[in-house]
Amino acid sequence: MSAPTTTDPVARARDAAARESWAEAYELLHDHDRHPERGLTADDLSVLADSAWWSGHVDESVAARLRAHAAYLAADDHRGAGLTSWWLYYEYAGLGRPAAAAGWLHRARHHLEDLPDCPEQCFLAMTAAEEASAHGDHESALAATRRMTALALACGSPDLLALARQSESRVLLAAGRRAEGLALLDEAMCAVSAGELSGMVTGWLYCLALTQCMEAADFARAVEWTNAAMEWCAPPWTGRPPDGNADTGTAPDTEDPSAALAPLPMTVPSGENPFRGVCRAHRVEVLDLLGAWALAEAEARQACREVPVDCLESAAAAYYAAGDVQRRQGRLEAAAVSYGHAHELGRIPQPGLALLRLAQGRADAAVAGVDLALACRSDPDHDVLGRARLLAARTEVALAVRDLPGAAKAAADLAALAGAADGDVPLLRALADTALGSVALAERRPGALLPLRRALAGWLELRVPYEAAQVRMLLAAACRAAGDEEAARLELGTARAVFERLGAVPDARRAAALLGGGSRRRLPGGLTAREAEVLRLVASGGTNKDIAGALVISEHTVARHLNNIFAKLGVGSRTAATAYAYAHGLV
């Protein structure tokens, strides 16, 4: 006879939940709950809610948690009711229902605030820290995180202590105390990498750490923790860190890689790790910077399949990163579609959309888009890298429309942002040096070479190939202006090779044309050689009279050429034509 085993499905579900075998726990409790006569306790309903969430059934998770709250209230268990209320606040916020979320947060406070110190109050302190930090009240936010730490130490919970460290880290970074914030983040992530935490807190900390690292422009940490997160998420998922190799991200993809990303159903198959899509979306941004563009686009597709419905901002980030790849490869229509999907999911697709409009010759739209996005991010403490990228794009757009004062101001603001960082931040420094060098080159100042060489060294150190190649193009122009043709050709040859390897077709053609002197290049937009000459003079700020004098033709002929140019390029102003000329290497 076989050894006796329990046949109670609820007991088996509790055991499965303790092992974080969530799919098994969900099936057992879901089947058991179909029979009204078989009641579940408040704790069992909480397990059902947790297992439903992990199994991709978010609506069922909320429904079970609502029943758990009622059961805790019936038992006069305010700690249980308070924690359940906080989880309902968290789930409703993720589902885009802020009014319901606010109501449940108020209930959580009602249940817990007047109780003696208890572990459940850690979650209220974490929320208080987030709210205070969002309003710029860093002192109150720090006080809340330190209360959270005290509560976590008192109850001896590794999960709560790691969350407290991470929460304090985020507040310190927002306050500009970069070194202290990153040190605390590293301490929290030690518990993650050692496998000391539950699956939920491990997933939270990976997602939060990846966001913090990119917002703080700490690219080295972002690469390290992205790789670790994808290894943790690799199937088969058991809820604990796996022993196998990291996920390579090469999931089968039968779609046309040249097509735009289409909206995909965002569901998590039962038994999959729901954090996987979120972590993969972060990985897309890292792969983009590292120049692994084909893999980045494939990973963006996969992330949009995997992201849970309560984490749509991650899908928006994946669409946006894919749009950046497509834009730089010259696939402008596909990029426009990807940016559109990102916008539908709540992300402002800037500065990528502004740079797309610039490439399309729509300079006015490019200027308006990047200026509005900068106005919406007036606080430099929030998402430092996001603001830095907007300033870098503002510099590029201003130079394209010959707004040298605007370009100089954007570059100076970017340099100030990099200089204000607590400690050296290579990614910010490289962005600032690129902008400063490009402005100095446009102003024909002799000091352009120094910041450009610093920028190139910075991008090479970070192993970011596309930006390094772009700087080489600027260096080539500076070397030619200084009379060093050999150095210019070396920079152009290296840049061309990098662009071709990445698939950056427009940039590769521009580098090839500059290497060949432009004599054998096919002009863009169907322009004739004379029309290209007129367009170059327009881009340099010449009036019709100036152009007529330079080319020894009549002003009437200049006007006729301009009409032909506008019609061929599909633009309606001299400013838009100038932007087209810069975007397509005619100037």
Coordinates of all heavy atoms in Angstrom, one line a residue, residues 394-428:
R394 N 17.0 68.5 -28.4 CA 16.7 69.9 -28.7 C 17.9 70.6 -29.3 O 17.8 71.5 -30.2 CB 16.4 70.6 -27.3 CG 16.1 72.1 -27.5 CD 14.8 72.3 -28.3 NE 14.4 73.7 -28.5 CZ 14.7 74.4 -29.5 NH1 15.5 73.9 -30.4 NH2 14.2 75.7 -29.6
T395 N 19.1 70.2 -28.9 CA 20.4 70.7 -29.6 C 20.4 70.4 -31.0 O 20.7 71.2 -31.9 CB 21.6 70.2 -28.8 OG1 21.5 70.5 -27.5 CG2 22.9 70.8 -29.4
E396 N 20.1 69.1 -31.3 CA 20.2 68.6 -32.7 C 19.1 69.3 -33.6 O 19.4 69.7 -34.7 CB 20.0 67.1 -32.7 CG 20.1 66.5 -34.1 CD 20.0 64.9 -34.0 OE1 20.1 64.4 -32.9 OE2 19.8 64.3 -35.1
V397 N 17.9 69.4 -33.1 CA 16.8 70.0 -33.9 C 17.2 71.5 -34.1 O 17.0 72.0 -35.2 CB 15.5 69.9 -33.1 CG1 14.4 70.7 -33.8 CG2 15.1 68.4 -33.1
A398 N 17.6 72.2 -33.1 CA 18.0 73.6 -33.2 C 19.1 73.8 -34.3 O 19.0 74.8 -35.1 CB 18.4 74.2 -31.9
L399 N 20.1 73.0 -34.2 CA 21.1 73.1 -35.2 C 20.6 72.9 -36.6 O 21.0 73.5 -37.6 CB 22.3 72.1 -34.9 CG 23.1 72.4 -33.7 CD1 24.1 71.3 -33.4 CD2 23.9 73.7 -33.9
A400 N 19.7 71.9 -36.8 CA 19.1 71.6 -38.1 C 18.4 72.8 -38.7 O 18.3 73.0 -39.9 CB 18.2 70.4 -38.0
V401 N 17.7 73.6 -37.8 CA 17.0 74.8 -38.3 C 17.8 76.1 -38.2 O 17.3 77.2 -38.3 CB 15.6 74.9 -37.6 CG1 14.8 73.7 -37.9 CG2 15.8 75.2 -36.1
R402 N 19.1 75.9 -37.9 CA 20.1 77.1 -37.8 C 19.7 78.0 -36.7 O 20.0 79.2 -36.8 CB 20.1 77.8 -39.2 CG 20.5 77.0 -40.4 CD 21.8 76.3 -40.2 NE 22.9 77.2 -40.2 CZ 24.1 76.9 -39.8 NH1 24.4 75.7 -39.4 NH2 25.1 77.8 -39.8
D403 N 19.1 77.5 -35.6 CA 18.9 78.3 -34.4 C 20.1 78.1 -33.5 O 20.0 77.3 -32.5 CB 17.6 77.8 -33.8 CG 17.3 78.5 -32.5 OD1 17.9 79.5 -32.2 OD2 16.4 78.0 -31.7
L404 N 21.2 78.8 -33.8 CA 22.4 78.6 -33.0 C 22.2 79.0 -31.5 O 22.7 78.3 -30.7 CB 23.5 79.3 -33.7 CG 24.0 78.7 -35.0 CD1 25.2 79.5 -35.5 CD2 24.3 77.2 -34.9
P405 N 21.5 80.1 -31.2 CA 21.3 80.5 -29.8 C 20.5 79.4 -29.1 O 20.9 79.0 -27.9 CB 20.6 81.8 -29.9 CG 20.9 82.4 -31.2 CD 21.1 81.2 -32.1
G406 N 19.5 78.8 -29.7 CA 18.7 77.8 -29.1 C 19.5 76.5 -28.8 O 19.4 75.9 -27.8
A407 N 20.4 76.2 -29.8 CA 21.2 75.0 -29.7 C 22.2 75.2 -28.6 O 22.5 74.3 -27.8 CB 21.9 74.7 -31.0
A408 N 22.8 76.4 -28.5 CA 23.8 76.7 -27.5 C 23.2 76.6 -26.1 O 23.8 76.1 -25.1 CB 24.4 78.1 -27.7
K409 N 21.9 77.1 -25.9 CA 21.3 77.1 -24.6 C 21.0 75.6 -24.2 O 21.2 75.3 -23.0 CB 20.0 77.9 -24.6 CG 19.3 77.9 -23.3 CD 18.0 78.7 -23.3 CE 17.4 78.8 -21.9 NZ 17.2 77.5 -21.3
A410 N 20.5 74.8 -25.1 CA 20.2 73.4 -24.8 C 21.4 72.7 -24.4 O 21.4 71.9 -23.5 CB 19.5 72.8 -26.0
A411 N 22.5 72.9 -25.2 CA 23.8 72.3 -24.8 C 24.3 72.7 -23.5 O 24.8 71.9 -22.7 CB 24.8 72.5 -25.9
A412 N 24.2 74.0 -23.2 CA 24.6 74.5 -21.9 C 23.8 73.9 -20.7 O 24.3 73.5 -19.7 CB 24.6 76.0 -21.8
D413 N 22.5 73.8 -20.9 CA 21.6 73.2 -19.9 C 22.0 71.7 -19.7 O 22.0 71.2 -18.6 CB 20.1 73.3 -20.4 CG 19.6 74.7 -20.3 OD1 20.2 75.5 -19.7 OD2 18.5 74.9 -20.9
L414 N 22.3 71.0 -20.8 CA 22.7 69.6 -20.7 C 24.0 69.5 -19.9 O 24.2 68.6 -19.1 CB 22.8 69.0 -22.1 CG 23.2 67.6 -22.2 CD1 22.4 66.7 -21.3 CD2 23.1 67.1 -23.7
A415 N 25.0 70.4 -20.2 CA 26.3 70.4 -19.5 C 26.0 70.6 -18.0 O 26.7 70.0 -17.2 CB 27.2 71.4 -20.1
A416 N 25.1 71.6 -17.7 CA 24.8 71.9 -16.3 C 24.2 70.7 -15.6 O 24.5 70.4 -14.4 CB 23.9 73.1 -16.2
L417 N 23.3 70.0 -16.3 CA 22.7 68.8 -15.7 C 23.7 67.7 -15.4 O 23.7 67.1 -14.4 CB 21.7 68.2 -16.7 CG 20.8 67.1 -16.2 CD1 19.9 67.5 -15.1 CD2 19.9 66.5 -17.4
A418 N 24.7 67.5 -16.4 CA 25.7 66.5 -16.1 C 26.7 67.0 -15.0 O 27.1 66.2 -14.2 CB 26.5 66.3 -17.4
G419 N 27.0 68.3 -14.9 CA 27.8 68.8 -13.9 C 27.2 68.8 -12.5 O 27.9 68.7 -11.5
A420 N 25.9 68.8 -12.5 CA 25.2 68.8 -11.2 C 25.1 67.5 -10.5 O 24.7 67.3 -9.4 CB 23.8 69.5 -11.3
A421 N 25.4 66.4 -11.3 CA 25.2 65.1 -10.8 C 26.3 64.8 -9.7 O 27.4 65.3 -9.7 CB 25.4 64.1 -11.9
D422 N 25.9 64.1 -8.7 CA 26.7 63.7 -7.6 C 27.7 62.6 -8.0 O 27.4 61.5 -8.1 CB 25.9 63.2 -6.4 CG 26.7 62.8 -5.2 OD1 27.9 63.1 -5.2 OD2 26.2 62.2 -4.3
G423 N 28.9 63.1 -8.4 CA 29.9 62.2 -8.9 C 29.9 62.1 -10.5 O 29.0 62.7 -11.1
D424 N 30.9 61.5 -11.0 CA 31.0 61.4 -12.5 C 30.0 60.4 -13.1 O 29.9 59.3 -12.6 CB 32.4 61.0 -12.9 CG 32.6 61.0 -14.4 OD1 32.1 62.0 -15.0 OD2 33.3 60.1 -14.9
V425 N 29.2 60.9 -14.1 CA 28.2 60.0 -14.7 C 28.6 59.9 -16.2 O 28.2 60.8 -17.0 CB 26.8 60.6 -14.5 CG1 25.7 59.6 -15.0 CG2 26.5 60.9 -13.0
P426 N 29.2 58.9 -16.6 CA 29.8 58.8 -18.0 C 28.7 59.0 -19.1 O 29.0 59.7 -20.1 CB 30.4 57.4 -18.1 CG 30.7 57.1 -16.7 CD 29.7 57.7 -15.8
L427 N 27.5 58.5 -18.9 CA 26.5 58.6 -19.9 C 26.1 60.1 -20.1 O 26.0 60.6 -21.2 CB 25.3 57.7 -19.6 CG 24.2 57.6 -20.7 CD1 24.8 57.2 -22.0 CD2 23.2 56.6 -20.2
L428 N 25.9 60.8 -19.0 CA 25.5 62.2 -19.0 C 26.6 63.0 -19.6 O 26.4 64.0 -20.4 CB 25.1 62.7 -17.7 CG 23.8 62.2 -17.0 CD1 23.6 62.9 -15.7 CD2 22.6 62.4 -17.9

